[in-house]
Amino acid sequence: MAGSAATHPIADALSPTGAVNASQHEPLYGGFTRFELELEFVQALANPYYLNHLASQKLLQNSTFVAYLKYLQYFTQPEYTKYLSYPGPTLKALELLQQERFRQEILSPDIVAHLAEQTLLSSIKAK
């Protein structure tokens, strides 16, 4: 997503420490800000089995959902990447999901198993 953090609708709701600033009149969804929900969702994308589930539900074929995945690329910006618990696998999944071919191939159990193994190996190396 182009633009600076100051122009992002979520940026004003964050304090410099990254805590959500409740005094900013941002609407809450089930008690959470939009940013918190998007952060939780984008981190779930690091799970290859979840990606397979999304594909099996045909969400990865839905143009509105694909546009949402493109929107979530703002997490590739350093001011947002710092909030990710596992930035490597999360950002890799977000990158792969931009490709139509990957969105089709993630239905394959072999692809899912390969990605799960890569994710596990990268988390072991990170420790």
Side-chain angles (χ1 to χ4, degrees):
M1 177 165 185
S4 69
T7 61
H8 192 279
I10 312 275
D12 292 336
L14 298 176
S15 73
T17 63
V20 175
N21 185 347
S23 67
Q24 295 292 329
H25 307 292
E26 181 180 354
L28 297 180
Y29 305 91
F32 298 97
T33 65
R34 180 175 169 176
F35 176 76
E36 290 171 312
L37 294 173
E38 289 175 351
L39 176 63
E40 184 75 21
F41 176 72
V42 80
Q43 291 188 115
L45 298 177
N47 181 336
Y49 297 101
Y50 183 57
L51 297 180
N52 177 265
H53 171 74
L54 294 175
S56 71
Q57 300 300 307
K58 307 220 184 295
L59 284 169
L60 299 182
Q61 297 173 10
N62 180 304
S63 61
T64 302
F65 190 78
V66 171
Y68 181 62
L69 293 171
K70 183 174 178 136
Y71 159 77
L72 289 174
Q73 287 198 290
Y74 75 84
F75 278 100
T76 64
Q77 302 301 315
E79 61 266 29
Y80 297 103
T81 301
K82 68 183 178 183
Y83 298 106
L84 298 173
S85 298
Y86 302 98
T90 302
L91 296 176
K92 183 63 175 176
L94 196 55
E95 174 189 334
L96 289 170
L97 285 165
Q98 305 308 309
Q99 303 168 27
E100 184 176 352
R101 180 176 174 186
F102 176 79
R103 293 192 304 269
Q104 295 168 357
E105 290 180 347
I106 194 61
L107 281 167
S108 164
D110 292 337
I111 298 292
V112 173
H114 178 72
L115 284 174
E117 183 179 328
Q118 284 185 328
T119 301
L120 178 61
L121 290 175
S122 69
S123 68
I124 291 171
K125 289 179 185 178
K127 291 183 179 187

